[in-house]
Amino acid sequence: TSTNPQNALCVRFVSNGFTSCAVGAGETIWDWTVSCLDCTNPAATFDLVEDCLHNGFNVSVEVSDLGTASDLRITDSWSGDTLTGIGLGATLVGPIPAGQTAQVTVLNGANPLCRIYSEEFFLAPDACVVTACDIIGVEHCYGNDDTAWFVYQSGDNVPLSLSFAFGTLLDGDEIRVYNGLDETAQLVFAGNLGGDVTGLALSSSNPDNALMFQIVSDSAGSCASGEATTPMYWTVGCGLVGAPEQGATKFSVFPNPASEELFIQFPEGGNGPVRVELLDVAGRVVLIRNVPETGDTPLKVALEGLSLGRYTARVTTDRGTWSASVQVAR
């Protein structure tokens, strides 16, 4: 921008004798605009808005004054995209991936020399990591043509467990589970188990004690649009799920569905104290049984007073934690 009484700028392009754009050396043709700064800058405020569901963030641009423009343009340094025809009020720019830096520019729609800049925004990759040693229950109804991210870490020096109590997926939609904090980790599961993820259970085996999983959908239907009839519900906590030890298999529950009584068969050769819990779909513990010693006889759990529906049976021993889906029906 000129700052002299003549309101003038002189630009000289100086080249050597070696090569140039004109001789076809492949250099990019220069392109520039010249205009008069006879406008007033717009006014706006900028705020970072986390979007952990998509592993990133947006920038909220609240335009309070157009200046001398009839409309504005908004660009961001990460995508390079331009939004046009912007007026007063809020506009959301993004999503921008976590770990990336972005600056937003608001420009006069007719004269781009009149512009204002935001600060540089940045969301650390670990900002969306959920610490989950206290049991966490999550229900999610996934949408069309989307990739939803969920990242969990135990926060202690113990593995992390992930257990799906119920949920349906359509053909073309799937769950991807990574043994770590992001997509660079080992992919340990990808699929939809024939459309029913009930009973899917995995444990972390990495130094970060973390699991990241994605729900990836196409545009042909989803839970949000009604075709997948059951939302997904999962629990996350510390300890192992479904991990055999010394040749023993994980516990089993029967009958399932159950009516008045549920029986839990512990692994053969198991012993020691056991804590048995039933969790409802909201992740609330609705029943607790503490067993001082396990044996070959199945443990009987009375279900009177429990509402019909799906529950998660969680068994905790000194060797880890196991979970299974239970249906109460009468």
Side-chain angles (χ1 to χ4, degrees), residues 303-324:
L303 302 177
E304 66 265 16
L306 291 183
S307 301
L308 305 184
R310 291 179 182 267
Y311 294 85
T312 299
R314 184 171 66 197
V315 172
T316 302
T317 73
D318 57 1
R319 295 178 296 166
T321 299
W322 291 263
S323 298

Side-chain angles (χ1 to χ4, degrees), residues 28-317:
T28 302
I29 298 174
W30 292 8
D31 182 18
W32 66 91
T33 59
V34 180
S35 56
C36 293
L37 192 58
D38 55 354
C39 56
T40 302
N41 284 340
T45 56
F46 306 89
D47 292 294
L48 184 146
V49 181
E50 288 187 359
D51 183 14
C52 286
L53 188 64
H54 298 102
N55 192 44
F57 66 96
N58 296 282
V59 177
S60 175
V61 182
E62 182 75 36
V63 177
S64 57
D65 192 337
L66 298 178
T68 51
S70 58
D71 58 48
L72 304 174
R73 291 185 290 149
I74 296 178
T75 67
D76 72 88
S77 60
W78 178 78
S79 71
D81 293 340
T82 300
L83 303 176
T84 60
I86 304 299
L88 296 174
T91 299
L92 209 58
V93 178
I96 300 160
Q100 298 291 331
T101 300
Q103 185 179 47
V104 176
T105 306
V106 179
L107 309 94
N108 183 303
N111 188 342
L113 293 178
C114 276
R115 62 180 68 190
I116 57 172
Y117 299 93
S118 74
E119 63 184 281
E120 288 191 337
F121 289 102
F122 176 82
L123 183 68
D126 61 0
C128 294
V129 177
V130 177
T131 302
C133 249
D134 291 332
I135 193 71
I136 293 174
V138 180
E139 183 171 297
H140 179 71
C141 186
Y142 74 95
N144 287 310
D145 197 18
D146 193 25
T147 299
W149 290 59
F150 303 90
V151 190
Y152 299 101
Q153 191 170 28
S154 73
D156 292 322
N157 191 27
V158 292
L160 187 82
S161 63
L162 169 68
S163 301
F164 285 83
F166 53 83
T168 57
L169 285 165
L170 301 176
D171 290 342
D173 304 334
E174 67 175 9
I175 293 174
R176 299 173 187 168
V177 184
Y178 295 84
N179 186 32
L181 289 165
D182 54 39
E183 288 177 302
T184 64
Q186 177 193 14
L187 178 66
V188 293
F189 176 82
N192 67 4
L193 296 178
D196 185 357
V197 298
T198 300
L200 174 63
L202 300 123
S203 298
S204 66
S205 58
N206 58 81
D208 294 315
N209 296 306
L211 288 172
M212 185 276 281
F213 78 91
Q214 299 169 328
I215 302 172
V216 183
S217 62
D218 59 24
S219 59
S222 67
C223 171
S225 57
E227 291 83 4
T229 55
T230 306
M232 274 176 279
Y233 181 82
W234 62 87
T235 57
V236 186
C238 288
L240 301 175
V241 291
E245 182 174 337
Q246 298 178 352
T249 58
K250 69 177 184 177
F251 76 97
S252 58
V253 294
F254 60 92
N256 196 6
S259 176
E260 302 298 330
E261 295 177 337
L262 178 72
F263 292 89
I264 299 177
Q265 178 67 64
F266 299 104
E268 182 180 351
N271 54 56
V274 172
R275 180 182 177 91
V276 177
E277 300 166 294
L278 280 185
L279 291 78
D280 64 13
V281 294
R284 297 170 296 201
V285 177
V286 297
L287 186 150
I288 298 176
R289 287 284 304 275
N290 289 305
V291 184
E293 191 80 14
T294 63
D296 296 333
T297 302
L299 172 69
K300 182 172 68 174
V301 178
L303 302 177
E304 66 265 16
L306 291 183
S307 301
L308 305 184
R310 291 179 182 267
Y311 294 85
T312 299
R314 184 171 66 197
V315 172
T316 302
T317 73

